[in-house]
Amino acid sequence: MTTERVNPPGLAPPAGFSHAVVASGSRVVFLAGQTALDGDGKVAGATLPEQFERALTNLLAALTAAGGTPSDLARVTVYATDVAAYRAHAPGLGRLWRKLAGRDYPAMAVVQVVRLWDEEALVELDGFAVLP
């Protein structure tokens, strides 16, 4: 697989995402929404950063099981119950992303939602990856 991150000079500089990702490969992996569920199906962590770290870990575990790596991610959507809180924690969330997934950022969006399937969940991530 090859990916090209495209960040046109006429758009605001991206911070923690790419404006576009051109991906070519032979397999597309669609990743279901992941919250901070632990192995017993309970939400782990009370804070947004704790839940974000677990949700991203879960998303990457599903990707790894499908044969992918974080650099294969082409698109990730973050669903947050409080975008203002997400923005307030953005620097720390960015550090967590870099620690777990590196600096090859996919195209991303953050969307505020009223609630998530798991009532205690503050954040959910889904996406897709293109594998060789």
Side-chain angles (χ1 to χ4, degrees), residues 23 26 39 78 81 91:
S26 60
V78 178
T81 58

Side-chain angles (χ1 to χ4, degrees), residues 2-6 18-23 72-75 105-107:
T2 62
T3 57
E4 175 189 2
R5 270 70 179 169
V6 180
S18 294
H19 283 292
V21 176
V22 179
D72 297 325
L73 286 168
R75 172 88 172 135
Y105 298 112

Side-chain angles (χ1 to χ4, degrees), residues 5-100:
R5 270 70 179 169
V6 180
N7 294 299
L11 297 179
F17 69 96
S18 294
H19 283 292
V21 176
V22 179
S24 60
S26 60
R27 293 181 15 180
V28 176
V29 178
F30 294 92
L31 299 162
Q34 298 293 326
T35 61
L37 292 181
D38 63 16
D40 294 324
K42 293 181 174 47
V43 173
T47 68
L48 180 60
E50 291 169 333
Q51 288 195 19
F52 180 87
E53 182 172 17
R54 183 58 187 243
L56 180 56
T57 297
N58 291 347
L59 187 81
L60 295 176
L63 175 59
T64 299
T69 66
S71 64
D72 297 325
L73 286 168
R75 172 88 172 135
V76 170
T77 302
V78 178
Y79 304 93
T81 58
D82 185 344
V83 168
Y86 188 92
R87 288 177 63 105
H89 289 287
L93 299 177
R95 284 189 294 276
L96 289 169
W97 180 278
R98 290 186 296 279
K99 178 179 89 169
L100 297 171

